[in-house]
Amino acid sequence: MANPNPPEEENTLLPPSSSPPLTTAAATSSDDEEEETAYETSEKIVVTISSPSDSFDEDLPWRFSWKKMWLFTGPGFLMSIAFLDPGNLEGDLQAGAIAGYSLLWLLMWATAMGFLIQMLAARVGVATGKHLAELCREEYPPWARLALWAMAEVALIGADIQEVIGSAIAIKILSRGVIPLWAGVIITASDCFVFLFLENYGVRKLEAVFAVLIATMALSFAWMFGDTQPSGKDLLLGILIPKLSSKTIHQAVGVVGCVIMPHNVFLHSALVQSRKIDPDKKSHVQEALNYYSIEAAVALFISFMINLFVTTVFAKGFYGSDVANSIGLVNAGQYLEEKYGGGVLPILYIWGIGLLAAGQSSTITGTYAGQFIMGGFLNLRLKKWLRALITRSFAIVPTMIVALIFERSDSLLDVLNEWLNVLQSVQIPFALIPLLFLVSKEEVMGVFKIGRTLKTVTWIVAGLLIIINGFLLLDFFSSEVHGLLMGSIVFAVTAVYVAFIVYLIVRGSHLSNQFTSSFKRLTNT
């Protein structure tokens, strides 16, 4: 029977007051109105899951609906842009030029691992009604919370520098060098204001812009793929047959390391809250998760195909050549022009258009992620334009300095990019570990905590990612750090870094009410 006193928001179904909540985080209090939220109620897209007569605990059979699929489509595609940023494109082209087609299988499985991690982030956001940064603020003591926030901001700044530089390189290519790198940085910085302008017109308008940018990338790199005509047989064998040699181990690590972006985990857990459902109904939450899973799978399949296009184009053109080891994001367009020349639309400009779309889309989502990270960890209720401006300034100022210093040195820009990749790699545990413990915790997730099998699989994946990135760090520091003083500094910083990771693991496994929950289950039995 329908509730005689329906809530003020239309199409929102609330359980009877006598029914217990499915998740602790979904329960509201008078203080919640004062807390930072990813989206205001008026900004959310209302999705009617079922009729008002459904009982609170009724587990309805799920039937796919194209109309609902359309309403839920958006967050997964915004999330997938992090798989297509300029840093990933550089990893793709270097893997293709140095390893040929042999690492395509790793690209496929790395994307699958990324899908698993991102769906856990979405699960947290939908089931709790709060995003990962907010939950970390509630879960950890002030010092650890501030440390996690600092790590997330550092990772975001590193990613943003790569993305802004990538856009500036694309602008320089398309202008035939007329617009220098520093001017391209200023032009790219203006996307913050474009983002704020689009936000005023609603979530769907913003998602439509990103759809256009992803389509531009797909069309550009598919055009390059068609022009260069890579070997279909070698492509298929590269996907199906795992191969790895000592000569390509660095590229393999780069392919996997670029998949999980720390800020993207925080971003996805917030993006899914742009749809308004009832988090206190199990059937509503489960149906939302079903649609988000389908959407994310489609979005990441498209991102995989775009990455595959880039890898195979450079594998066809430069694998085994004398210049294979010297190709980077800065000079890739020049090498493409020398190799394939002109045509109806010169391949240099096709590459520039795709790179510009990748850079612009990823910088805007970086600004978006920065808002959620800052607001969630610090519980700041600032106006969106002010928060976006602060977030943007964190990255634009160092990026401008980088552009002015490295304007005339392509090789130095490539070295900088390696340092930025390392910077983001070291931040991965500070997003993954809290996520995995929170999504396994019954006090947070209620009935939507992950089971033992999925928990084991995700920890294996997380362990592999951390080990792979650890190898990258070890390899990088062993070649770049020299001298007793620098070695001592790196050792001290590494000791603090490892100690904080150990703290997060110990707190999650030992101090997060695990023994209390086990005792309750034992006594109930």
Side-chain angles (χ1 to χ4, degrees):
M1 183 174 181
N3 191 339
N5 297 311
E8 294 180 3
E9 293 86 352
E10 185 179 358
N11 292 332
T12 303
L13 306 178
L14 297 178
S17 58
S18 59
S19 300
L22 286 171
T23 64
T24 303
T28 58
S29 65
S30 59
D31 295 332
D32 289 340
E33 297 178 358
E34 300 178 359
E35 293 186 354
E36 186 273 345
T37 56
Y39 296 90
E40 300 295 336
T41 302
S42 59
E43 296 176 315
K44 295 185 178 184
I45 299 168
V46 178
V47 182
T48 304
I49 298 294
S50 49
S51 66
S53 61
D54 293 331
S55 63
F56 167 68
D57 58 352
E58 185 176 3
D59 194 4
L60 299 174
W62 181 60
R63 294 181 181 180
F64 180 82
S65 165
W66 284 107
K67 181 180 179 180
K68 291 180 184 178
M69 186 73 251
W70 171 248
L71 291 174
F72 279 110
T73 297
F77 282 90
L78 267 68
M79 169 273 296
S80 71
I81 288 171
F83 289 69
L84 299 168
D85 70 357
N88 277 281
L89 297 183
E90 182 164 33
D92 293 337
L93 66 89
Q94 290 177 341
I98 298 173
Y101 301 88
S102 65
L103 296 181
L104 292 179
W105 66 274
L106 189 60
L107 175 63
M108 179 182 69
W109 283 107
T111 305
M113 288 192 293
F115 170 75
L116 175 61
I117 298 300
Q118 293 301 148
M119 286 317 304
L120 293 182
R123 190 182 189 93
V124 165
V126 175
T128 67
K130 297 182 179 182
H131 56 82
L132 182 59
E134 292 177 298
L135 293 171
C136 287
R137 186 184 74 232
E138 297 174 355
E139 177 72 16
Y140 294 98
W143 72 269
R145 179 196 319 154
L146 290 176
L148 287 172
W149 170 66
M151 295 298 101
E153 289 289 354
V154 167
L156 181 59
I157 291 171
D160 214 5
I161 291 175
Q162 285 183 309
E163 292 154 1
V164 172
I165 291 293
S167 290
I169 291 171
I171 292 172
K172 187 175 181 179
I173 290 173
L174 296 174
S175 67
R176 297 299 290 185
V178 173
I179 300 177
L181 206 61
W182 64 266
V185 170
I186 295 176
I187 293 172
T188 305
S190 64
D191 65 19
C192 174
F193 302 101
V194 174
F195 161 72
L196 294 173
F197 174 77
L198 292 172
E199 266 203 318
N200 292 329
Y201 288 89
V203 174
R204 294 300 266 178
K205 301 293 190 301
L206 186 64
E207 291 171 350
V209 170
F210 284 107
V212 171
L213 291 171
I214 293 174
T216 302
M217 280 186 275
L219 181 61
S220 299
F221 298 130
W223 192 325
M224 288 174 54
F225 181 84
D227 272 357
T228 57
Q229 297 181 351
S231 169
K233 178 182 177 181
D234 290 339
L235 187 156
L236 189 61
L237 291 175
I239 293 176
L240 297 178
I241 301 177
K243 289 183 181 179
L244 192 61
S245 68
S246 58
K247 296 180 180 180
T248 61
I249 189 68
H250 193 271
Q251 285 68 42
V253 170
V255 167
V256 178
C258 289
V259 167
I260 301 298
M261 308 290 283
H263 72 274
N264 206 37
V265 177
F266 291 99
L267 175 65
H268 200 194
S269 67
L271 289 174
V272 294
Q273 294 174 44
S274 60
R275 271 56 176 175
K276 186 177 181 181
I277 64 167
D278 183 0
D280 290 326
K281 279 186 174 288
K282 179 182 176 181
S283 60
H284 291 204
V285 174
Q286 186 60 59
E287 189 161 349
L289 290 174
N290 291 341
Y291 283 111
Y292 281 133
S293 298
I294 296 172
E295 184 225 8
V298 172
L300 289 185
F301 174 77
I302 294 173
S303 76
F304 166 70
M305 293 303 299
I306 293 173
N307 285 315
L308 181 144
F309 290 154
V310 175
T311 303
T312 52
V313 163
F314 283 86
K316 170 66 183 299
F318 304 102
Y319 176 57
S321 67
D322 295 334
V323 299
N325 289 291
S326 60
I327 298 178
L329 199 64
V330 179
N331 57 21
Q334 299 170 359
Y335 282 118
L336 285 171
E337 186 177 36
E338 293 172 3
K339 180 71 176 181
Y340 297 106
V344 177
L345 181 60
I347 195 169
L348 173 66
Y349 295 120
I350 301 173
W351 167 253
I353 291 170
L355 180 59
L356 181 62
Q360 287 293 329
S361 58
S362 55
T363 52
I364 297 176
T365 53
T367 303
Y368 217 13
Q371 289 193 24
F372 297 133
I373 290 171
M374 180 179 291
F377 275 110
L378 305 182
N379 195 24
L380 293 179
R381 292 191 59 82
L382 298 175
K383 292 183 180 297
K384 287 190 174 181
W385 68 267
L386 181 58
R387 195 186 304 169
L389 188 61
I390 294 173
T391 303
R392 208 80 196 95
S393 300
F394 282 167
I396 290 301
V397 172
T399 305
M400 182 62 72
I401 296 172
V402 166
L404 291 172
I405 294 175
F406 299 108
E407 171 74 40
R408 299 183 180 277
S409 178
D410 293 352
S411 60
L412 285 178
L413 269 177
D414 288 335
V415 172
L416 173 68
N417 190 61
E418 289 184 16
W419 275 94
L420 292 174
N421 284 335
V422 169
L423 181 67
Q424 294 174 75
S425 296
V426 300
Q427 310 303 329
I428 287 178
F430 305 127
L432 278 186
I433 294 174
L435 172 66
L436 294 183
F437 278 122
L438 287 168
V439 81
S440 306
K441 190 174 178 182
E442 188 172 0
E443 292 86 348
V444 174
M445 298 294 294
V447 298
F448 289 100
K449 71 170 185 176
I450 59 175
R452 182 177 299 176
T453 302
L454 183 57
K455 183 178 179 180
T456 302
V457 172
T458 53
W459 270 108
I460 291 174
V461 170
L464 285 173
L465 290 171
I466 293 173
I467 290 171
I468 288 171
N469 282 281
F471 174 85
L472 176 64
L473 295 178
L474 182 62
D475 178 70
F476 180 78
F477 283 126
S478 62
S479 60
E480 296 292 333
V481 177
H482 304 286
L484 180 61
L485 178 61
M486 282 298 298
S488 301
I489 294 173
V490 169
F491 177 81
V493 172
T494 302
V496 175
Y497 171 80
V498 172
F500 189 40
I501 292 177
V502 171
Y503 164 79
L504 294 175
I505 294 175
V506 170
R507 179 180 176 84
S509 61
H510 184 64
L511 299 178
S512 61
N513 296 327
Q514 294 296 320
F515 292 133
T516 303
S517 300
S518 300
F519 180 76
K520 287 182 179 179
R521 286 195 295 269
L522 181 62
T523 54
N524 289 337
T525 302

